[in-house]
Amino acid sequence: MPQVTRRITIPRTPSVVWQQFVSEDALRRWIAPTLTIELREGGPYRMLGADGVTWISGVVLELVPEGRLVLSWMEEDAGWEHPGRLVITLQAASDGTEVTLTHDGFAGIGTPTWQRTRDAYERGSDRHQVLQCLADAVTGVG
Protein backbone atom coordinates (compact mmCIF):
# COMPACT_ATOMS: atom_id res chain seq x y z
CA MET A 1 0.00 0.00 0.00
CA PRO A 2 1.49 3.39 -0.95
CA GLN A 3 2.16 5.37 2.19
CA VAL A 4 4.44 7.95 3.73
CA THR A 5 5.78 7.05 7.17
CA ARG A 6 8.03 8.87 9.61
CA ARG A 7 9.14 7.86 13.11
CA ILE A 8 10.71 9.55 16.07
CA THR A 9 11.59 8.42 19.57
CA ILE A 10 10.74 10.93 22.27
CA PRO A 11 12.49 10.43 25.63
CA ARG A 12 9.25 10.46 27.62
CA THR A 13 6.61 7.88 28.52
CA PRO A 14 3.54 7.39 26.31
CA SER A 15 1.35 9.03 28.96
CA VAL A 16 3.50 12.17 28.86
CA VAL A 17 3.59 12.24 25.05
CA TRP A 18 -0.17 11.69 24.94
CA GLN A 19 -0.72 14.97 26.79
CA GLN A 20 -0.05 16.67 23.43
CA PHE A 21 -3.11 14.83 22.02
CA VAL A 22 -5.70 15.52 24.72
CA SER A 23 -6.96 18.94 23.69
CA GLU A 24 -7.39 21.17 20.68
CA ASP A 25 -4.88 23.64 22.16
CA ALA A 26 -2.28 20.92 22.68
CA LEU A 27 -2.67 19.64 19.12
CA ARG A 28 -2.40 23.18 17.76
CA ARG A 29 1.08 23.48 19.30
CA TRP A 30 2.54 20.86 16.99
CA ILE A 31 0.13 20.00 14.16
CA ALA A 32 -1.20 23.38 13.01
CA PRO A 33 -2.13 26.61 14.79
CA THR A 34 -5.32 26.82 12.70
CA LEU A 35 -6.61 23.40 13.79
CA THR A 36 -10.19 23.08 14.98
CA ILE A 37 -11.16 19.59 16.11
CA GLU A 38 -13.76 17.75 18.16
CA LEU A 39 -11.68 15.14 19.94
CA ARG A 40 -14.07 12.21 19.79
CA GLU A 41 -14.61 9.42 17.29
CA GLY A 42 -16.64 10.91 14.46
CA GLY A 43 -15.64 14.43 15.44
CA PRO A 44 -14.84 16.79 12.57
CA TYR A 45 -11.61 18.71 12.17
CA ARG A 46 -10.20 21.31 9.78
CA MET A 47 -6.85 23.07 9.46
CA LEU A 48 -4.64 24.95 7.07
CA GLY A 49 -1.95 22.64 5.70
CA ALA A 50 1.74 23.20 6.25
CA ASP A 51 2.00 24.76 2.79
CA GLY A 52 -0.09 27.69 4.05
CA VAL A 53 -2.52 27.32 1.13
CA THR A 54 -4.30 23.95 1.28
CA TRP A 55 -7.15 23.37 3.70
CA ILE A 56 -7.33 19.86 5.16
CA SER A 57 -10.48 18.42 6.70
CA GLY A 58 -11.89 15.13 7.87
CA VAL A 59 -13.10 13.28 10.93
CA VAL A 60 -11.56 11.46 13.87
CA LEU A 61 -11.73 7.77 13.00
CA GLU A 62 -10.03 6.40 16.13
CA LEU A 63 -8.89 7.87 19.42
CA VAL A 64 -7.13 5.39 21.71
CA PRO A 65 -5.64 7.12 24.77
CA GLU A 66 -1.85 6.75 24.95
CA GLY A 67 -1.95 4.63 21.80
CA ARG A 68 -3.37 5.95 18.57
CA LEU A 69 -5.05 8.82 16.75
CA VAL A 70 -6.47 8.16 13.28
CA LEU A 71 -7.95 10.89 11.09
CA SER A 72 -9.52 10.79 7.67
CA TRP A 73 -7.54 13.25 5.52
CA MET A 74 -8.96 15.24 2.62
CA GLU A 75 -7.33 18.10 0.76
CA GLU A 76 -10.19 20.49 0.09
CA ASP A 77 -10.57 21.75 -3.50
CA ALA A 78 -7.90 19.31 -4.76
CA GLY A 79 -10.28 17.03 -6.64
CA TRP A 80 -10.04 14.15 -4.18
CA GLU A 81 -13.10 11.88 -4.36
CA HIS A 82 -12.21 10.00 -1.14
CA PRO A 83 -10.07 10.84 1.86
CA GLY A 84 -6.76 9.30 2.75
CA ARG A 85 -5.79 8.68 6.37
CA LEU A 86 -3.37 10.04 8.91
CA VAL A 87 -2.40 7.46 11.53
CA ILE A 88 -0.32 8.43 14.56
CA THR A 89 0.70 5.65 16.94
CA LEU A 90 2.56 5.72 20.24
CA GLN A 91 4.54 2.68 21.37
CA ALA A 92 6.52 2.38 24.59
CA ALA A 93 10.23 1.90 23.93
CA SER A 94 13.22 1.34 26.20
CA ASP A 95 14.33 4.93 25.62
CA GLY A 96 10.90 6.60 25.70
CA THR A 97 8.06 6.50 23.20
CA GLU A 98 8.31 5.66 19.53
CA VAL A 99 5.83 7.81 17.62
CA THR A 100 4.94 6.77 14.08
CA LEU A 101 3.09 9.06 11.68
CA THR A 102 1.71 7.47 8.51
CA HIS A 103 -0.25 9.02 5.66
CA ASP A 104 -1.92 6.27 3.64
CA GLY A 105 -4.77 5.70 1.22
CA PHE A 106 -3.23 7.70 -1.62
CA ALA A 107 -4.24 5.15 -4.28
CA GLY A 108 -7.86 5.51 -3.19
CA ILE A 109 -8.25 9.31 -3.26
CA GLY A 110 -9.76 9.05 -6.71
CA THR A 111 -7.38 11.14 -8.76
CA PRO A 112 -5.19 9.92 -11.61
CA THR A 113 -2.28 11.88 -10.10
CA TRP A 114 -2.34 10.19 -6.69
CA GLN A 115 1.31 9.11 -7.07
CA ARG A 116 2.37 12.75 -7.40
CA THR A 117 0.34 13.51 -4.28
CA ARG A 118 2.15 10.73 -2.39
CA ASP A 119 5.52 12.05 -3.63
CA ALA A 120 4.59 15.57 -2.48
CA TYR A 121 3.73 14.20 0.98
CA GLU A 122 7.06 12.37 1.04
CA ARG A 123 8.90 15.65 0.42
CA GLY A 124 6.62 17.60 2.76
CA SER A 125 7.16 15.16 5.62
CA ASP A 126 10.87 15.89 5.54
CA ARG A 127 10.41 19.63 5.11
CA HIS A 128 7.76 20.26 7.76
CA GLN A 129 9.07 17.96 10.53
CA VAL A 130 5.73 17.51 12.31
CA LEU A 131 7.12 14.80 14.58
CA GLN A 132 9.99 17.04 15.64
CA CYS A 133 7.39 19.70 16.48
CA LEU A 134 5.64 17.11 18.66
CA ALA A 135 8.92 16.18 20.36
CA ASP A 136 9.66 19.85 21.00
CA ALA A 137 6.17 20.37 22.49
CA VAL A 138 6.60 17.32 24.74
CA THR A 139 10.10 18.22 25.95
CA GLY A 140 9.47 21.96 26.23
CA VAL A 141 11.96 22.93 23.52
CA GLY A 142 11.14 25.97 21.39
Side-chain angles (χ1 to χ4, degrees), residues 52-139:
V53 176
T54 306
W55 283 94
I56 308 289
S57 61
V59 298
V60 177
L61 299 173
E62 281 185 61
L63 184 64
V64 179
E66 298 182 24
R68 181 173 164 106
L69 173 64
V70 182
L71 305 173
S72 66
W73 188 269
M74 175 81 83
E75 288 188 9
E76 297 178 6
D77 301 321
W80 293 20
E81 293 179 23
H82 307 286
R85 286 188 325 158
L86 173 66
V87 180
I88 304 169
T89 58
L90 281 61
Q91 179 70 44
S94 61
D95 51 352
T97 301
E98 182 178 79
V99 182
T100 304
L101 183 150
T102 301
H103 281 282
D104 65 19
F106 293 105
I109 63 174
T111 68
T113 59
W114 68 265
Q115 291 171 322
R116 280 190 288 196
T117 301
R118 184 207 50 218
D119 293 347
Y121 275 72
E122 192 73 51
R123 290 185 304 274
S125 292
D126 293 333
R127 185 170 45 250
H128 302 299
Q129 298 289 314
V130 172
L131 289 180
Q132 186 60 55
C133 293
L134 170 61
D136 292 348
V138 170
T139 61

Side-chain angles (χ1 to χ4, degrees), residues 37-54:
I37 189 168
E38 289 182 26
L39 275 171
R40 61 175 175 76
E41 288 187 10
Y45 78 91
R46 187 169 191 248
M47 67 181 179
L48 186 59
D51 66 2
V53 176
T54 306

